[in-house]
Coordinates of all heavy atoms in Angstrom, one line a residue:
A30 N 18.5 -3.2 -11.2 CA 19.9 -3.0 -10.8 C 20.5 -1.9 -11.7 O 20.1 -1.7 -12.8 CB 20.6 -4.3 -10.9
G31 N 21.6 -1.4 -11.2 CA 22.3 -0.4 -12.0 C 22.0 1.0 -11.6 O 22.2 1.9 -12.4
G32 N 21.5 1.3 -10.4 CA 21.3 2.7 -10.0 C 20.0 3.3 -10.4 O 19.8 4.5 -10.3
A33 N 19.1 2.6 -11.0 CA 17.8 3.2 -11.4 C 17.0 3.6 -10.2 O 17.2 3.2 -9.1 CB 17.0 2.2 -12.2
E34 N 16.1 4.5 -10.5 CA 15.2 5.0 -9.4 C 14.3 3.9 -8.8 O 13.9 3.0 -9.6 CB 14.4 6.2 -9.8 CG 15.2 7.4 -10.2 CD 14.3 8.5 -10.6 OE1 13.7 9.1 -9.6 OE2 14.2 8.9 -11.7
P35 N 14.1 3.9 -7.5 CA 13.2 2.8 -6.9 C 11.8 2.9 -7.4 O 11.3 4.0 -7.8 CB 13.4 3.0 -5.4 CG 13.8 4.4 -5.3 CD 14.6 4.8 -6.5
P36 N 11.0 1.9 -7.2 CA 9.6 1.9 -7.5 C 8.9 2.9 -6.5 O 9.4 3.2 -5.4 CB 9.1 0.5 -7.3 CG 10.3 -0.3 -7.1 CD 11.4 0.5 -6.8
V37 N 7.7 3.3 -6.9 CA 6.9 4.2 -6.0 C 5.7 3.4 -5.6 O 5.0 2.7 -6.4 CB 6.4 5.4 -6.8 CG1 5.5 6.3 -6.0 CG2 7.6 6.3 -7.3
L38 N 5.5 3.4 -4.3 CA 4.3 2.7 -3.7 C 3.3 3.8 -3.2 O 3.7 4.6 -2.3 CB 4.7 1.7 -2.6 CG 3.6 1.0 -1.8 CD1 2.8 0.1 -2.8 CD2 4.1 0.2 -0.7
V39 N 2.1 3.8 -3.7 CA 1.1 4.8 -3.4 C 0.2 4.2 -2.3 O -0.4 3.1 -2.5 CB 0.3 5.2 -4.6 CG1 -0.7 6.2 -4.3 CG2 1.3 5.8 -5.7
L40 N 0.0 5.0 -1.2 CA -0.9 4.6 -0.1 C -2.0 5.6 0.0 O -1.8 6.8 0.2 CB -0.1 4.5 1.2 CG 1.2 3.6 1.1 CD1 2.0 3.8 2.4 CD2 0.8 2.2 0.9
P41 N -3.3 5.2 -0.1 CA -4.4 6.1 -0.1 C -4.9 6.6 1.2 O -4.5 6.2 2.3 CB -5.5 5.2 -0.7 CG -5.2 3.9 -0.2 CD -3.7 3.8 -0.1
A42 N -5.7 7.7 1.1 CA -6.4 8.2 2.3 C -7.5 7.2 2.7 O -7.9 6.3 2.0 CB -7.0 9.6 2.0
L43 N -8.1 7.4 3.9 CA -9.2 6.6 4.4 C -10.3 6.6 3.4 O -10.7 7.6 2.8 CB -9.7 7.2 5.7 CG -10.7 6.4 6.4 CD1 -10.2 5.0 6.8 CD2 -11.2 7.1 7.6
A44 N -10.8 5.4 3.2 CA -12.0 5.1 2.4 C -11.8 5.3 0.9 O -12.8 5.4 0.1 CB -13.2 6.0 2.8
L45 N -10.6 5.4 0.4 CA -10.3 5.5 -1.0 C -9.6 4.3 -1.5 O -8.7 3.8 -0.9 CB -9.5 6.7 -1.3 CG -10.1 8.1 -1.3 CD1 -9.1 9.2 -1.5 CD2 -11.2 8.2 -2.4
P46 N -10.0 3.8 -2.7 CA -9.1 2.8 -3.3 C -7.8 3.4 -3.8 O -7.9 4.6 -4.3 CB -10.0 2.2 -4.4 CG -10.9 3.3 -4.8 CD -11.1 4.1 -3.5
A47 N -6.7 2.7 -3.7 CA -5.5 3.3 -4.1 C -5.5 3.7 -5.6 O -4.8 4.7 -6.0 CB -4.3 2.3 -3.8
L48 N -6.2 3.0 -6.4 CA -6.2 3.3 -7.9 C -6.9 4.7 -8.2 O -6.8 5.2 -9.3 CB -6.8 2.2 -8.7 CG -5.9 1.0 -8.8 CD1 -6.7 -0.2 -9.5 CD2 -4.7 1.3 -9.6
A49 N -7.5 5.3 -7.2 CA -8.1 6.6 -7.4 C -7.0 7.6 -7.7 O -7.3 8.6 -8.3 CB -8.9 7.0 -6.1
Y50 N -5.8 7.3 -7.3 CA -4.6 8.2 -7.6 C -3.9 8.0 -8.9 O -3.1 8.7 -9.3 CB -3.6 8.1 -6.4 CG -4.2 8.4 -5.1 CD1 -4.8 7.5 -4.3 CD2 -4.1 9.7 -4.6 CE1 -5.3 7.8 -3.1 CE2 -4.6 10.1 -3.4 CZ -5.2 9.1 -2.6 OH -5.8 9.5 -1.4
A51 N -4.3 6.9 -9.6 CA -3.7 6.6 -10.9 C -3.7 7.7 -11.9 O -2.6 8.0 -12.5 CB -4.3 5.3 -11.5
P52 N -4.8 8.4 -12.1 CA -4.8 9.5 -13.1 C -3.8 10.6 -12.8 O -3.1 11.1 -13.7 CB -6.2 10.0 -13.1 CG -7.0 8.9 -12.6 CD -6.1 8.2 -11.6
A53 N -3.6 10.9 -11.5 CA -2.7 12.0 -11.1 C -1.2 11.6 -11.3 O -0.3 12.4 -11.4 CB -2.9 12.4 -9.7
L54 N -1.0 10.3 -11.3 CA 0.4 9.8 -11.4 C 0.8 9.2 -12.8 O 1.8 8.6 -12.9 CB 0.7 8.7 -10.3 CG 0.5 9.3 -8.9 CD1 0.6 8.2 -7.9 CD2 1.6 10.3 -8.6
E55 N -0.1 9.4 -13.7 CA 0.1 8.9 -15.1 C 1.5 9.3 -15.7 O 2.2 8.4 -16.2 CB -1.0 9.4 -16.0 CG -0.9 8.9 -17.4 CD -1.5 7.6 -17.7 OE1 -2.4 7.2 -17.0 OE2 -1.1 6.9 -18.7
A56 N 1.9 10.5 -15.5 CA 3.1 11.0 -16.1 C 4.3 10.3 -15.4 O 5.4 10.0 -16.1 CB 3.3 12.5 -16.0
L57 N 4.2 10.0 -14.1 CA 5.3 9.4 -13.4 C 5.6 8.0 -13.9 O 6.8 7.6 -13.9 CB 5.0 9.3 -11.9 CG 6.1 8.8 -11.0 CD1 7.3 9.7 -11.0 CD2 5.5 8.8 -9.6
R58 N 4.7 7.3 -14.5 CA 4.9 5.9 -14.9 C 5.9 5.8 -16.0 O 6.4 4.7 -16.3 CB 3.5 5.3 -15.3 CG 3.0 5.7 -16.6 CD 1.7 5.0 -16.9 NE 1.2 5.3 -18.2 CZ 1.3 4.5 -19.2 NH1 1.9 3.3 -19.1 NH2 0.8 4.8 -20.4
R59 N 6.1 6.9 -16.8 CA 7.1 6.8 -17.9 C 8.5 6.7 -17.3 O 9.4 6.2 -18.1 CB 7.0 8.1 -18.7 CG 5.7 8.2 -19.5 CD 5.6 9.4 -20.4 NE 4.2 9.7 -20.6 CZ 3.7 10.8 -20.1 NH1 4.4 11.7 -19.4 NH2 2.4 11.1 -20.3
R60 N 8.8 7.1 -16.1 CA 10.1 7.0 -15.5 C 10.2 6.0 -14.4 O 11.3 5.6 -14.0 CB 10.5 8.4 -15.0 CG 10.5 9.5 -16.0 CD 11.0 10.8 -15.5 NE 10.7 11.1 -14.1 CZ 9.7 11.8 -13.6 NH1 8.8 12.2 -14.5 NH2 9.6 12.0 -12.4
R61 N 9.1 5.7 -13.7 CA 9.2 4.9 -12.5 C 8.2 3.8 -12.6 O 7.1 3.9 -13.2 CB 8.9 5.8 -11.3 CG 9.7 7.0 -11.1 CD 11.1 6.7 -10.5 NE 11.1 6.3 -9.2 CZ 11.1 7.1 -8.1 NH1 11.1 8.4 -8.3 NH2 11.1 6.7 -6.9
R62 N 8.5 2.7 -11.9 CA 7.5 1.7 -11.6 C 6.6 2.2 -10.5 O 7.0 2.6 -9.5 CB 8.2 0.4 -11.2 CG 7.3 -0.8 -11.0 CD 8.1 -2.0 -10.6 NE 7.3 -3.1 -10.2 CZ 7.6 -4.1 -9.4 NH1 8.9 -4.1 -8.9 NH2 6.8 -5.0 -9.1
V63 N 5.3 2.2 -10.8 CA 4.3 2.8 -9.8 C 3.3 1.7 -9.4 O 2.7 1.0 -10.3 CB 3.5 4.0 -10.4 CG1 2.6 4.6 -9.4 CG2 4.5 5.0 -10.9
L64 N 3.2 1.4 -8.1 CA 2.3 0.4 -7.6 C 1.4 1.1 -6.6 O 1.7 2.1 -5.9 CB 3.1 -0.7 -6.8 CG 4.1 -1.4 -7.7 CD1 5.5 -1.0 -7.5 CD2 4.0 -2.9 -7.5
F65 N 0.2 0.5 -6.4 CA -0.8 1.1 -5.6 C -1.3 0.0 -4.6 O -1.7 -1.1 -5.0 CB -2.0 1.5 -6.4 CG -1.7 2.6 -7.4 CD1 -1.1 2.2 -8.6 CD2 -1.9 3.9 -7.2 CE1 -0.8 3.2 -9.6 CE2 -1.5 4.9 -8.1 CZ -1.0 4.5 -9.3
L66 N -1.3 0.3 -3.3 CA -1.7 -0.6 -2.2 C -3.1 -0.2 -1.7 O -3.2 0.9 -1.1 CB -0.7 -0.7 -1.1 CG -1.0 -1.7 0.0 CD1 -1.1 -3.1 -0.4 CD2 -0.1 -1.5 1.2
D67 N -4.1 -1.1 -1.8 CA -5.3 -0.9 -1.1 C -5.1 -1.3 0.4 O -4.8 -2.4 0.6 CB -6.4 -1.7 -1.7 CG -6.9 -1.2 -3.0 OD1 -6.9 0.1 -3.2 OD2 -7.4 -2.0 -3.8
L68 N -5.2 -0.3 1.3 CA -5.1 -0.6 2.7 C -6.2 -1.5 3.2 O -7.2 -1.7 2.5 CB -5.0 0.7 3.5 CG -3.8 1.6 3.1 CD1 -3.9 2.9 3.9 CD2 -2.5 0.9 3.4
R69 N -6.1 -2.0 4.3 CA -7.1 -2.9 4.9 C -8.5 -2.4 4.8 O -8.8 -1.2 5.2 CB -6.9 -3.2 6.4 CG -5.8 -4.1 6.6 CD -5.5 -4.2 8.1 NE -4.4 -5.1 8.1 CZ -4.4 -6.3 8.7 NH1 -5.4 -6.8 9.2 NH2 -3.3 -7.0 8.6
G70 N -9.5 -3.2 4.3 CA -10.8 -2.8 4.2 C -11.2 -1.7 3.2 O -12.3 -1.2 3.1
Q71 N -10.2 -1.4 2.3 CA -10.4 -0.4 1.2 C -10.2 -1.1 -0.1 O -9.4 -2.0 -0.2 CB -9.4 0.7 1.4 CG -9.6 1.4 2.8 CD -8.7 2.6 2.9 OE1 -8.7 3.5 2.1 NE2 -7.8 2.6 3.9
G72 N -10.8 -0.6 -1.1 CA -10.6 -1.1 -2.5 C -10.8 -2.6 -2.5 O -11.8 -3.1 -2.1
A73 N -9.9 -3.3 -3.1 CA -9.9 -4.7 -3.3 C -9.3 -5.5 -2.1 O -9.3 -6.7 -2.1 CB -9.2 -5.1 -4.5
S74 N -8.9 -4.8 -1.0 CA -8.3 -5.5 0.1 C -9.5 -5.8 1.1 O -10.4 -5.1 1.2 CB -7.3 -4.6 0.9 OG -6.2 -4.4 0.1
A75 N -9.3 -7.0 1.8 CA -10.2 -7.4 2.8 C -9.7 -7.2 4.2 O -8.5 -7.2 4.4 CB -10.5 -8.9 2.6
R76 N -10.5 -7.0 5.1 CA -10.1 -6.7 6.5 C -10.8 -7.7 7.4 O -12.0 -7.7 7.5 CB -10.3 -5.3 6.9 CG -9.9 -5.0 8.4 CD -10.1 -3.6 8.7 NE -11.5 -3.3 8.8 CZ -12.0 -2.1 9.2 NH1 -11.1 -1.1 9.5 NH2 -13.3 -1.9 9.3
A77 N -10.1 -8.4 8.2 CA -10.7 -9.3 9.2 C -11.1 -8.4 10.4 O -10.5 -7.4 10.7 CB -9.7 -10.3 9.7
A78 N -12.1 -8.9 11.1 CA -12.6 -8.1 12.3 C -11.5 -7.8 13.3 O -11.4 -6.7 13.8 CB -13.7 -8.8 13.0
E79 N -10.6 -8.8 13.6 CA -9.6 -8.6 14.6 C -8.5 -7.6 14.2 O -7.8 -7.0 15.0 CB -9.0 -9.9 15.1 CG -8.3 -10.6 14.0 CD -9.2 -11.5 13.1 OE1 -10.4 -11.6 13.4 OE2 -8.7 -12.1 12.2
S80 N -8.4 -7.4 12.9 CA -7.4 -6.4 12.4 C -7.8 -5.0 12.7 O -7.0 -4.1 12.7 CB -7.2 -6.5 10.9 OG -8.3 -6.0 10.2
A81 N -9.1 -4.8 13.1 CA -9.5 -3.4 13.4 C -9.3 -3.2 14.9 O -9.8 -2.2 15.5 CB -11.0 -3.2 13.0
G82 N -8.7 -4.1 15.6 CA -8.5 -4.0 17.1 C -9.7 -4.4 17.9 O -9.8 -4.1 19.0
R83 N -10.6 -5.2 17.3 CA -11.8 -5.6 18.0 C -11.9 -7.1 17.9 O -11.3 -7.7 17.0 CB -13.1 -5.0 17.3 CG -13.1 -3.5 17.3 CD -14.3 -3.0 16.6 NE -15.5 -3.6 17.2 CZ -16.2 -3.1 18.2 NH1 -15.9 -2.0 18.8 NH2 -17.3 -3.7 18.6
D84 N -12.6 -7.7 18.7 CA -12.8 -9.2 18.6 C -14.3 -9.6 18.6 O -14.6 -10.8 18.7 CB -12.1 -9.9 19.8 CG -12.6 -9.5 21.2 OD1 -13.6 -8.7 21.2 OD2 -12.1 -9.9 22.2
D85 N -15.2 -8.6 18.4 CA -16.6 -9.0 18.4 C -17.1 -9.2 16.9 O -18.4 -9.3 16.8 CB -17.4 -7.9 19.1 CG -17.3 -6.5 18.4 OD1 -16.6 -6.4 17.4 OD2 -17.9 -5.6 18.9
G86 N -16.3 -9.2 15.9 CA -16.7 -9.5 14.6 C -17.3 -8.3 13.9 O -17.7 -8.4 12.7
D87 N -17.3 -7.1 14.5 CA -17.8 -5.9 13.8 C -16.6 -5.1 13.2 O -16.1 -4.2 13.8 CB -18.6 -5.0 14.8 CG -19.2 -3.8 14.2 OD1 -19.1 -3.7 12.9 OD2 -19.8 -3.0 14.9
A88 N -16.3 -5.4 12.0 CA -15.1 -4.8 11.3 C -15.5 -3.3 10.9 O -14.6 -2.6 10.5 CB -14.7 -5.6 10.1
S89 N -16.7 -2.9 11.0 CA -17.1 -1.6 10.5 C -16.9 -0.5 11.7 O -17.0 0.6 11.4 CB -18.5 -1.5 10.0 OG -19.4 -1.8 11.1
S90 N -16.7 -1.0 12.9 CA -16.5 -0.1 14.0 C -15.2 0.6 14.0 O -14.2 0.0 13.4 CB -16.7 -0.8 15.3 OG -18.0 -1.4 15.4
P91 N -15.0 1.8 14.6 CA -13.7 2.4 14.6 C -12.7 1.5 15.3 O -13.0 0.9 16.3 CB -14.0 3.7 15.4 CG -15.5 3.9 15.3 CD -16.1 2.5 15.2
P92 N -11.5 1.5 14.7 CA -10.4 0.7 15.3 C -9.8 1.3 16.5 O -9.9 2.5 16.8 CB -9.4 0.6 14.2 CG -9.6 1.8 13.4 CD -11.1 2.1 13.5
C93 N -9.2 0.5 17.4 CA -8.4 0.9 18.5 C -7.1 1.6 17.8 O -6.5 1.0 17.0 CB -8.0 -0.2 19.4 SG -9.4 -1.0 20.2
P94 N -6.7 2.8 18.3 CA -5.6 3.5 17.6 C -4.3 2.7 17.5 O -3.8 2.6 16.4 CB -5.5 4.8 18.4 CG -6.8 4.9 19.0 CD -7.3 3.6 19.3
L95 N -3.7 2.3 18.6 CA -2.4 1.7 18.5 C -2.3 0.4 17.7 O -1.5 0.3 16.8 CB -1.8 1.5 19.9 CG -0.4 1.0 19.9 CD1 0.5 2.1 19.2 CD2 0.1 0.9 21.3
P96 N -3.2 -0.6 18.0 CA -3.1 -1.8 17.1 C -3.4 -1.5 15.6 O -2.8 -2.0 14.8 CB -4.2 -2.7 17.7 CG -4.4 -2.2 19.1 CD -4.1 -0.7 19.1
F97 N -4.2 -0.5 15.4 CA -4.6 -0.2 14.0 C -3.3 0.4 13.3 O -3.0 -0.1 12.2 CB -5.7 0.9 14.0 CG -6.0 1.4 12.7 CD1 -6.7 0.7 11.8 CD2 -5.6 2.7 12.3 CE1 -7.1 1.2 10.5 CE2 -6.0 3.2 11.1 CZ -6.7 2.5 10.2
W98 N -2.6 1.3 13.9 CA -1.4 1.9 13.2 C -0.3 0.9 13.1 O 0.4 0.9 12.1 CB -1.0 3.2 14.0 CG -1.9 4.3 13.7 CD1 -2.8 4.9 14.5 CD2 -2.0 5.0 12.5 NE1 -3.5 5.9 13.9 CE2 -3.0 6.0 12.7 CE3 -1.3 5.0 11.3 CZ2 -3.3 6.9 11.7 CZ3 -1.6 5.9 10.3 CH2 -2.6 6.8 10.5
T99 N 0.0 0.1 14.1 CA 1.0 -0.9 14.0 C 0.7 -1.9 12.9 O 1.6 -2.4 12.2 CB 1.4 -1.5 15.3 OG1 0.2 -2.1 15.9 CG2 2.0 -0.5 16.3
T100 N -0.6 -2.3 12.8 CA -1.0 -3.2 11.8 C -0.8 -2.6 10.4 O -0.3 -3.3 9.5 CB -2.5 -3.6 12.0 OG1 -2.6 -4.3 13.3 CG2 -3.0 -4.6 11.0
L101 N -1.2 -1.4 10.2 CA -1.0 -0.7 8.9 C 0.5 -0.6 8.6 O 0.8 -0.9 7.4 CB -1.6 0.7 8.9 CG -3.1 0.9 8.8 CD1 -3.5 2.4 8.8 CD2 -3.6 0.2 7.5
R102 N 1.3 -0.3 9.5 CA 2.7 -0.2 9.3 C 3.2 -1.6 8.8 O 4.0 -1.7 7.8 CB 3.5 0.1 10.6 CG 5.0 0.1 10.5 CD 5.7 -0.1 11.8 NE 5.3 -1.3 12.4 CZ 5.4 -1.6 13.7 NH1 5.7 -0.7 14.5 NH2 5.0 -2.8 14.1
D103 N 2.8 -2.7 9.5 CA 3.3 -4.0 9.1 C 2.7 -4.4 7.7 O 3.4 -5.1 7.0 CB 2.8 -5.0 10.2 CG 3.6 -4.8 11.5 OD1 4.6 -4.0 11.5 OD2 3.2 -5.3 12.5
D104 N 1.5 -4.0 7.4 CA 1.0 -4.2 6.1 C 1.8 -3.6 5.0 O 2.1 -4.2 4.0 CB -0.5 -3.8 6.0 CG -1.5 -4.6 6.7 OD1 -1.1 -5.7 7.2 OD2 -2.6 -4.1 6.9
V105 N 2.2 -2.3 5.2 CA 3.0 -1.6 4.2 C 4.4 -2.3 4.1 O 4.9 -2.5 3.0 CB 3.2 -0.1 4.6 CG1 4.2 0.6 3.7 CG2 1.8 0.6 4.6
L106 N 5.0 -2.7 5.2 CA 6.3 -3.4 5.1 C 6.1 -4.7 4.4 O 7.0 -5.1 3.6 CB 6.8 -3.6 6.5 CG 7.2 -2.4 7.3 CD1 7.6 -2.7 8.7 CD2 8.4 -1.6 6.6
A107 N 5.0 -5.4 4.6 CA 4.8 -6.7 3.8 C 4.7 -6.4 2.3 O 5.2 -7.2 1.5 CB 3.6 -7.4 4.3
A108 N 4.0 -5.3 2.0 CA 3.8 -5.0 0.6 C 5.2 -4.6 0.0 O 5.5 -5.0 -1.2 CB 2.8 -3.8 0.4
I109 N 6.0 -3.9 0.7 CA 7.3 -3.5 0.2 C 8.1 -4.8 0.0 O 8.8 -4.9 -1.1 CB 8.0 -2.5 1.2 CG1 7.3 -1.2 1.2 CG2 9.5 -2.4 0.9 CD1 7.8 -0.3 2.3
E110 N 8.1 -5.7 0.9 CA 8.8 -6.9 0.7 C 8.3 -7.7 -0.5 O 9.1 -8.3 -1.3 CB 8.7 -7.8 2.0 CG 9.5 -9.1 1.9 CD 9.3 -9.9 3.2 OE1 9.1 -9.3 4.2 OE2 9.4 -11.1 3.1
S111 N 7.0 -7.7 -0.8 CA 6.5 -8.4 -1.9 C 6.9 -7.8 -3.3 O 7.0 -8.5 -4.3 CB 5.0 -8.5 -1.8 OG 4.4 -7.3 -2.2
I112 N 7.2 -6.5 -3.3 CA 7.6 -5.8 -4.5 C 9.0 -6.3 -4.9 O 9.3 -6.4 -6.1 CB 7.6 -4.3 -4.3 CG1 6.2 -3.8 -4.1 CG2 8.3 -3.6 -5.4 CD1 6.1 -2.4 -3.7
G113 N 9.9 -6.6 -4.0 CA 11.1 -7.3 -4.3 C 12.2 -6.3 -4.7 O 13.3 -6.7 -5.2
A114 N 12.1 -5.0 -4.6 CA 13.1 -4.0 -4.9 C 13.9 -3.7 -3.6 O 13.3 -3.8 -2.5 CB 12.5 -2.8 -5.5
P115 N 15.2 -3.4 -3.7 CA 15.9 -3.1 -2.5 C 15.4 -1.9 -1.7 O 15.5 -1.8 -0.5 CB 17.4 -2.8 -3.0 CG 17.3 -2.8 -4.5 CD 16.0 -3.3 -4.9
T116 N 14.9 -0.9 -2.4 CA 14.2 0.3 -1.8 C 13.0 0.7 -2.6 O 12.8 0.3 -3.7 CB 15.2 1.5 -1.8 OG1 15.5 1.9 -3.1 CG2 16.4 1.3 -1.0
V117 N 12.1 1.4 -1.9 CA 10.8 1.9 -2.5 C 10.6 3.3 -2.0 O 10.8 3.6 -0.8 CB 9.7 0.9 -2.0 CG1 8.3 1.5 -2.4 CG2 9.9 -0.5 -2.6
D118 N 10.1 4.1 -2.8 CA 9.7 5.5 -2.4 C 8.2 5.4 -2.1 O 7.4 4.8 -2.9 CB 9.9 6.5 -3.5 CG 11.4 6.9 -3.7 OD1 12.2 6.6 -2.7 OD2 11.7 7.4 -4.8
L119 N 7.8 5.9 -0.9 CA 6.4 5.9 -0.5 C 5.8 7.2 -0.7 O 6.3 8.3 -0.5 CB 6.4 5.5 1.0 CG 6.9 4.2 1.4 CD1 7.0 4.1 2.9 CD2 6.1 3.1 0.8
V120 N 4.5 7.2 -1.3 CA 3.7 8.3 -1.4 C 2.4 8.0 -0.7 O 1.7 7.1 -1.0 CB 3.4 8.6 -2.9 CG1 2.4 9.8 -3.1 CG2 4.7 8.9 -3.7
G121 N 2.1 8.9 0.3 CA 0.9 8.6 1.1 C 0.0 9.9 1.2 O 0.6 11.0 1.3
H122 N -1.3 9.7 1.3 CA -2.2 10.8 1.5 C -3.0 10.5 2.7 O -3.6 9.4 2.9 CB -3.1 10.9 0.3 CG -4.2 11.9 0.4 ND1 -5.5 11.7 -0.1 CD2 -4.3 13.1 1.0 CE1 -6.2 12.7 0.2 NE2 -5.5 13.6 0.9
S123 N -3.0 11.4 3.7 CA -3.7 11.3 4.9 C -3.4 10.0 5.7 O -2.3 9.8 6.2 CB -5.2 11.4 4.6 OG -6.0 11.6 5.8
L124 N -4.3 9.1 5.8 CA -4.1 7.8 6.4 C -2.9 7.1 5.8 O -2.0 6.6 6.6 CB -5.3 6.9 6.3 CG -5.2 5.5 6.9 CD1 -5.1 5.5 8.4 CD2 -6.4 4.6 6.4
G125 N -2.8 7.1 4.5 CA -1.6 6.5 3.8 C -0.3 7.2 4.2 O 0.7 6.5 4.3
A126 N -0.3 8.5 4.4 CA 0.9 9.2 4.8 C 1.3 8.7 6.2 O 2.5 8.6 6.5 CB 0.7 10.7 4.8
G127 N 0.4 8.5 7.1 CA 0.7 8.1 8.5 C 1.3 6.7 8.4 O 2.3 6.4 9.1
A128 N 0.7 5.8 7.6 CA 1.3 4.4 7.5 C 2.6 4.5 6.8 O 3.5 3.7 7.2 CB 0.3 3.6 6.6
A129 N 2.8 5.3 5.8 CA 4.1 5.5 5.2 C 5.2 5.9 6.2 O 6.3 5.4 6.2 CB 4.0 6.5 4.0
A130 N 4.9 6.9 7.0 CA 5.8 7.4 8.0 C 6.2 6.3 9.0 O 7.4 6.2 9.3 CB 5.3 8.6 8.7
L131 N 5.3 5.6 9.4 CA 5.6 4.5 10.4 C 6.4 3.4 9.8 O 7.4 2.9 10.4 CB 4.3 3.9 11.0 CG 3.5 4.8 11.9 CD1 2.2 4.3 12.2 CD2 4.3 5.1 13.2
A132 N 6.1 3.1 8.5 CA 6.9 2.1 7.8 C 8.3 2.5 7.6 O 9.3 1.8 7.7 CB 6.2 1.7 6.5
A133 N 8.5 3.8 7.2 CA 9.8 4.4 6.9 C 10.6 4.4 8.2 O 11.8 4.2 8.2 CB 9.7 5.8 6.3
A134 N 10.0 4.7 9.3 CA 10.7 4.8 10.6 C 11.1 3.4 11.0 O 12.2 3.2 11.6 CB 9.8 5.4 11.7

Side-chain angles (χ1 to χ4, degrees):
E34 293 185 73
V37 175
L38 178 60
V39 179
L40 307 169
L43 182 64
L45 282 175
L48 286 173
Y50 298 88
L54 297 171
E55 177 87 26
L57 184 61
R58 78 181 184 100
R59 292 184 208 110
R60 301 184 328 267
R61 306 281 291 273
R62 181 178 175 205
V63 183
L64 300 103
F65 300 82
L66 178 66
D67 285 332
L68 298 174
R69 288 178 181 243
Q71 300 182 57
S74 291
R76 177 178 70 176
E79 62 275 357
S80 72
R83 301 178 54 91
D84 60 4
D85 63 0
D87 184 3
S89 65
S90 298
C93 298
L95 186 58
F97 176 74
W98 284 106
T99 56
T100 299
L101 281 182
R102 176 203 63 204
D103 293 346
D104 287 348
V105 172
L106 293 173
I109 292 169
E110 184 178 330
S111 78
I112 292 169
T116 62
V117 172
D118 288 339
L119 298 172
V120 174
H122 173 218
S123 191
L124 176 70
L131 290 170

